Amino acid sequence: MANIILLGAPGGGKGSQAVRLVKQLNIPQISTGDMLREARAMGTEMGLLAARFMDSGELVPDEVVIGIVKDRLAMEDCANGFILDGFPRTIPQAQALDSVLGELGIALDHVIEIAVPDGQIVPRITGRRSCPQCKRPYHVQFLKPREGNLCDDCGVELIQRSDDTEEAVTVRLASYHKKTAPLVDYYKKAGKLRVVDGVGEMEEISARIFTILA
Ligand code: AMP
């Protein structure tokens, strides 16, 4: 059983590490970013509302994301644990999470901050690509596909997220520092915070995380 929050700046590797944790621990990844993108692709009212904020790099209003996480945590597959990736991102979201977990009788085990210097964020994000079919992540510089711009597994043309532009990243980083970084202190005070150096090879960072979970 592991109830985990991954904290850290956008592009800092939360999503990639979450995917590895899912495989190892066999618990679901709860990514509010992925859920919002799905809602948007389906054209739901909530997805279309969220899209405006996402494209400009702003945070989606708290009540929207709190609602979707609340519903998701109540699902059966979260009974043995979960990895929250990209939630909470504000103090009100963290407080709402505390009360939802309290109602469900669940305790948080680990809040892991993946720390990456700001200077590395922009090149990491703007070079990011992924396979639209299997979602495998790539990077134009650090994690190139074998051939051209094609997924190694599916052979499909890789895509770039609409908010992985330099303009949106600047806004995303600013909102991270203003609204999300205070969560580091919030969880430090709660005695839950563990910080992992997010610079290095993906395997090294996974190993650092597994040392904490062991
Ligand atoms: P991500 O995939 O985690 O980088 O999230 C992409 C975008 O979705 C963010 O820039 C926000 O606009 C929105 N988003 C995702 N999670 C949250 C959250 N917990 N609170 C507010 N907005 C969010």
Side-chain angles (χ1 to χ4, degrees):
M1 174 106 177
N3 303 321
I4 302 167
I5 293 178
L6 294 180
L7 261 188
K14 296 186 300 294
S16 304
Q17 293 302 329
V19 168
R20 288 163 168 256
L21 287 169
V22 165
K23 282 199 189 124
Q24 289 282 333
L25 304 174
N26 203 20
I27 53 178
Q29 169 190 10
I30 304 181
S31 158
T32 38
D34 282 351
M35 290 192 282
L36 292 168
R37 279 184 288 277
E38 272 161 34
R40 173 186 193 163
M42 280 163 49
T44 68
E45 200 179 318
M46 186 260 281
L48 298 178
L49 168 96
R52 287 193 290 124
F53 296 94
M54 295 169 84
D55 283 344
S56 61
E58 299 285 352
L59 293 182
V60 172
D62 285 337
E63 57 276 17
V64 175
V65 277
I66 289 169
I68 57 179
V69 170
K70 199 173 173 180
D71 291 346
R72 185 65 188 84
L73 283 172
M75 289 167 109
E76 216 171 292
D77 63 338
C78 293
N80 290 322
F82 51 80
I83 302 151
L84 278 169
D85 155 20
F87 182 95
R89 262 178 157 101
T90 64
I91 295 282
Q93 289 181 21
Q95 290 166 336
L97 178 65
D98 284 344
S99 69
V100 170
L101 293 178
E103 280 164 26
L104 295 168
I106 296 173
L108 269 179
D109 294 309
H110 306 280
V111 177
I112 302 174
E113 182 198 359
I114 304 179
V116 175
D118 266 15
Q120 291 201 8
I121 297 294
V122 174
R124 278 199 193 199
I125 294 194
T126 52
R128 219 154 57 161
R129 302 289 183 274
S130 68
C131 172
Q133 209 155 292
C134 71
K135 314 287 177 218
R136 182 168 163 179
Y138 292 90
H139 193 281
V140 293
Q141 203 181 339
F142 312 125
L143 201 60
K144 292 182 184 171
R146 276 198 302 269
E147 246 181 77
N149 189 41
L150 302 176
C151 176
D152 292 351
D153 297 326
C154 313
V156 175
E157 192 81 26
L158 304 179
I159 53 167
Q160 181 177 27
R161 261 170 58 171
S162 55
D163 59 345
D164 277 353
T165 58
E166 202 158 337
E167 305 78 67
V169 173
T170 309
V171 178
R172 284 160 73 192
L173 253 184
S175 66
Y176 174 75
H177 285 295
K178 187 162 171 234
K179 297 183 174 158
T180 310
L183 295 182
V184 169
D185 234 30
Y186 182 90
Y187 287 115
K188 202 185 274 172
K189 284 195 184 117
K192 303 270 185 208
L193 187 79
R194 301 295 301 268
V195 183
V196 159
D197 178 3
V199 179
E201 294 296 323
M202 204 124 77
E203 286 76 20
E204 289 170 343
I205 299 158
S206 298
R208 291 173 197 149
I209 294 176
F210 279 108
T211 309
I212 291 174
L213 301 179

